[in-house]
């Protein structure tokens, strides 16, 4: 096409004029900010749980990516078989319970609980 007669809408114009998209965009930004603060909190807790903060942060990153990648082939199958809405609700409720388990992490002796919570939280997030 030569571009004649096409209406081009810029990004800011889309945000200004499309109420639905603006709401979706704002919700996504809020969600990403919350995820980022949660990740920072996990890094700080990792530094406190272990004596080697650099290694602990690396382990957190590896576990988060690994726990997100492993269930991916199965999540598509579950989404095809069961209600996506209920899968999301169940996964979020379970993830909320896992997040509450972080309150039980008190020191270096709780490293297994801490890393287990990271894996469980990210596996549920993949769902």
């Amino acid at each position: 096409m030569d571009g004649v007669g096409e209406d081009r809408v810029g990004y800011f114009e889309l945000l200004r004029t499309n109420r639905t998209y603006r709401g979706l965009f704002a919700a996504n930004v809020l969600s990403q900010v919350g995820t980022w603060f949660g990740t920072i909190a996990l890094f700080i807790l990792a530094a406190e749980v272990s004596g080697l903060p650099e290694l602990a942060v690396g382990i957190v990153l590896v576990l988060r990516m690994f726990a997100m990648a492993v269930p991916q082939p199965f999540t598509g199958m579950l989404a095809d078989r069961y209600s996506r809405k209920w899968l999301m609700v169940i996964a979020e409720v379970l993830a909320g319970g896992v997040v509450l388990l972080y309150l039980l992490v008190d020191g270096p002796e709780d490293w297994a609980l801490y890393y287990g919570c990271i894996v469980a939280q990210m596996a549920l997030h993949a769902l």
Side-chain angles (χ1 to χ4, degrees):
M1 299 188 98
D2 60 1
V4 176
E6 288 183 18
D7 289 334
R8 292 186 178 236
V9 177
Y11 190 66
F12 292 112
E13 181 70 16
L14 180 64
L15 283 172
R16 189 178 65 77
T17 60
N18 190 329
R19 182 175 185 258
T20 304
Y21 184 75
R22 186 172 52 244
L24 178 65
F25 180 81
N28 191 31
V29 167
L30 185 63
S31 174
Q32 293 298 325
V33 168
T35 300
W36 179 248
F37 280 123
T39 302
I40 296 299
L42 286 178
F43 291 159
I44 292 170
L45 189 57
E48 291 180 8
V49 166
S50 76
L52 303 167
E54 297 85 8
L55 179 63
V57 168
I59 291 172
V60 168
L61 288 172
V62 167
L63 287 176
R64 285 174 58 97
M65 293 303 112
F66 183 72
M68 188 82 150
V70 170
Q72 286 294 326
F74 307 107
T75 58
M77 178 186 64
L78 289 172
D80 289 341
R81 183 171 282 227
Y82 301 107
S83 166
R84 290 183 178 123
K85 178 175 96 173
W86 284 109
L87 281 174
M88 288 175 57
V89 168
I90 291 168
E92 290 300 319
V93 168
L94 290 174
V98 169
V99 168
L100 290 176
L101 289 176
Y102 285 119
L103 295 173
L104 300 177
V105 176
D106 195 33
E109 65 279 357
D110 296 327
W111 66 270
L113 174 64
Y114 173 70
Y115 291 126
C117 286
I118 289 173
V119 170
Q121 182 183 4
M122 291 313 292
L124 290 166
H125 184 69
L127 184 63

